[in-house]
Amino acid sequence: MNGDPTHGPTDETHSDTGSETGSETGSEPGSGTGSEAIALGASDTHGHRLSAGLAIGGRVVVRYRLAEGAEAAATDFVGELVARDADFLIVDTKTERVKLIRADILAAKAVPPPASRPGRPHERVSADDLEKLMAKGWQPVDRGGVGDWVLRASDGFTGRANSALVVGDPSLPVDKAIDFAEKWYSDRGRPAIFQVHGEAGFDPAEQPTVAALLDRGYEIGGGQESWQRVLVMTGPSAAVPPLTEQSAPVTADAELQLDWLTTYGQQRSIVPGATEAVLTGSDGQLFLSVRDPESAAIIGLARLAIHPGWAGIFGLWVHPDHRRTGVATTIVSAAAMVARENNMPAMYIQVSGDNAAGVAFWTDLGFTVHHEYTYLAKTSA
Ligand SMILES: CC(C)(COP(=O)(O)OP(=O)(O)OC[C@H]1O[C@@H](n2cnc3c(N)ncnc32)[C@H](O)[C@@H]1OP(=O)(O)O)[C@@H](O)C(=O)NCCC(=O)NCCS
């Protein structure tokens, strides 16, 4: 159906991001900062405007002109952007699918997932919505779906990009959905791995999907300690300490550079092709790094994924010779500065429950556990 004037305004006309109205109409995703690397410092408050743009699958608000004689001049449609072309945007709102003529769109912008409970922006999102958002921060090379479940494959590079994200309604009975996912993975010559989440301290076996997987011989954690329990921690970008005059310089680059990738590859296995595709596959990302002033080698790095209202940090790492000197704090301070300047009040990270240093680091910065997830895989496969 189309956005004709008989539709009343939705009850969600706000933006949690506080970003300007009138912006982003028809903008393409991934505008980022351009190809120039930027040095971030204590006095640096300009020059890194970012936008995640209007992405298919993202949540948007569209201000739409109503016909003359209507009770109001315009109304807002809020929902998932499911298609776009030169003439139309198609949006699934809570109640209907609307086809909006571009000529009558006064403004459109991406907005964060809705609040599902009271709290600050980093607290009030539901675990399902945050999982779906985080999946866009780490896009797989190959993607499929069973209802709301997201099937991801990336030649084995990371659990997140090679597992079925069990979220929402699979639109099939659980056993049939698992059959579908298993076939999808077997068609690609990959083992089926499932990512399931719950509240902090949840018992996965109590979930019907997990019970069905256990019956089929899957194991919680899939035989890997770091997969047993992964914490999703969130915090406000406003609470992260600012950069100071003493902070090491941080470089932010919208492009993936070879020395960043090489350093990243020193600490984890990479899969040529798939790794670059995943690292650069989101609607917007920044590659942050700190260098040794003498050797100029990268001694600390992270990747920032950009979402409407949210910033995600992936791959934070500091060379062992430089730990406990504040390098990671400096990188996160730079990331939070970028987040604050770009209407991203909430930040997320994912850290294995067995990573004591990582958990201590994020706790020290005021991050708290939003929810947890675990992977299920067959160890005998
Ligand atoms: C976690 C990691 C990034 C921390 O980097 P770092 O540069 O040493 O961190 P900082 O010096 O900025 O530490 C800031 C604070 O975090 C906490 N912290 C950091 N490492 C810690 C550790 N090993 N044990 C306990 N607390 C720790 C402390 O409160 C520390 O302050 P302090 O040194 O004044 O006590 C680093 O240990 C690392 O690269 N680990 C391997 C990769 C990893 O686990 N990344 C995190 C994944 S989410």
Side-chain angles (χ1 to χ4, degrees):
M1 83 159 300
N2 61 35
D4 73 49
T6 55
H7 306 301
T10 72
D11 57 358
E12 297 177 80
T13 56
H14 67 289
S15 161
D16 294 335
T17 65
S19 55
E20 313 89 312
T21 52
S23 61
E24 302 292 342
T25 302
S27 68
E28 295 303 324
S31 45
T33 60
S35 56
E36 293 285 304
I38 298 160
L40 302 177
S43 56
D44 189 349
T45 54
H46 303 289
H48 25 84
R49 306 306 298 175
L50 304 169
S51 166
L54 297 183
I56 301 297
R59 187 163 177 264
V60 295
V61 58
V62 180
R63 174 142 297 176
Y64 199 65
R65 193 196 323 271
L66 297 179
E68 270 183 38
E71 274 180 23
T75 189
D76 287 346
F77 291 94
V78 178
E80 182 182 338
L81 179 66
V82 291
R84 58 186 293 176
D85 65 15
D87 300 319
F88 297 103
L89 296 186
I90 297 182
V91 175
D92 275 353
T93 72
K94 262 187 203 163
T95 50
E96 62 192 341
R97 172 164 293 187
V98 291
K99 188 172 181 184
L100 303 171
I101 304 162
R102 279 202 187 243
D104 287 326
I105 292 174
L106 302 173
K109 65 181 174 183
V111 289
S116 73
R117 52 191 178 222
R120 291 178 289 172
H122 70 283
E123 297 164 323
R124 62 190 183 211
V125 64
S126 72
D128 264 17
D129 282 341
L130 184 52
E131 281 296 332
K132 285 190 266 184
L133 181 104
M134 293 190 302
K136 293 182 186 139
W138 199 248
Q139 293 277 14
V141 174
D142 195 359
R143 185 189 174 95
V146 196
D148 293 337
W149 290 11
V150 186
L151 307 178
R152 305 169 292 189
S154 306
D155 294 334
F157 174 65
T158 72
R160 282 178 298 230
N162 289 276
S163 52
L165 178 64
V166 174
V167 66
D169 177 5
S171 76
L172 290 174
V174 163
D175 268 317
K176 291 262 184 313
I178 296 173
D179 286 345
F180 186 97
E182 286 183 332
K183 175 156 187 333
W184 193 87
Y185 282 102
S186 113
D187 286 348
R188 286 157 181 76
R190 303 294 316 170
I193 302 169
F194 293 82
Q195 185 199 321
V196 298
H197 62 270
E199 60 192 25
F202 80 115
D203 178 0
E206 285 178 0
Q207 295 190 4
T209 304
V210 175
L213 290 167
L214 294 174
D215 278 350
R216 293 181 187 222
Y218 286 80
E219 286 178 37
I220 293 169
Q224 293 194 41
E225 192 58 39
S226 61
W227 278 10
Q228 285 283 342
R229 196 169 69 99
V230 181
L231 310 181
V232 174
M233 299 180 77
T234 61
S237 56
V240 176
L243 291 168
T244 68
E245 295 299 337
Q246 285 70 46
S247 300
V250 181
T251 301
D253 201 326
E255 307 291 327
L256 174 60
Q257 304 295 348
L258 187 58
D259 57 351
W260 194 102
L261 180 63
T262 309
T263 312
Y264 181 79
Q266 282 168 14
Q267 28 117 6
R268 61 183 67 211
S269 15
I270 64 171
V271 179
T275 299
E276 294 93 313
V278 171
L279 288 171
T280 60
S282 297
D283 292 331
Q285 53 261 302
L286 274 185
F287 298 93
L288 304 172
S289 54
V290 166
R291 288 174 189 273
D292 182 334
E294 279 163 25
S295 69
I298 294 178
I299 54 167
L301 52 71
R303 170 183 178 271
L304 180 70
I306 295 151
H307 308 271
W310 283 85
I313 294 195
F314 292 82
L316 177 67
W317 172 85
V318 172
H319 189 286
D321 292 350
H322 297 271
R323 288 184 187 164
R324 301 307 284 267
T325 63
V327 175
T329 303
T330 297
I331 292 172
V332 176
S333 292
M337 180 173 80
V338 172
R340 288 192 296 270
E341 291 181 354
N342 289 280
N343 302 312
M344 295 182 273
M347 299 179 76
Y348 70 78
I349 62 102
Q350 297 151 61
V351 59
S352 294
D354 71 342
N355 181 351
V359 175
F361 173 79
W362 289 108
T363 305
D364 193 58
L365 280 179
F367 281 56
T368 51
V369 178
H370 184 277
H371 65 274
E372 297 177 3
Y373 65 83
T374 187
Y375 291 103
L376 285 108
K378 287 185 183 171
T379 53
S380 55

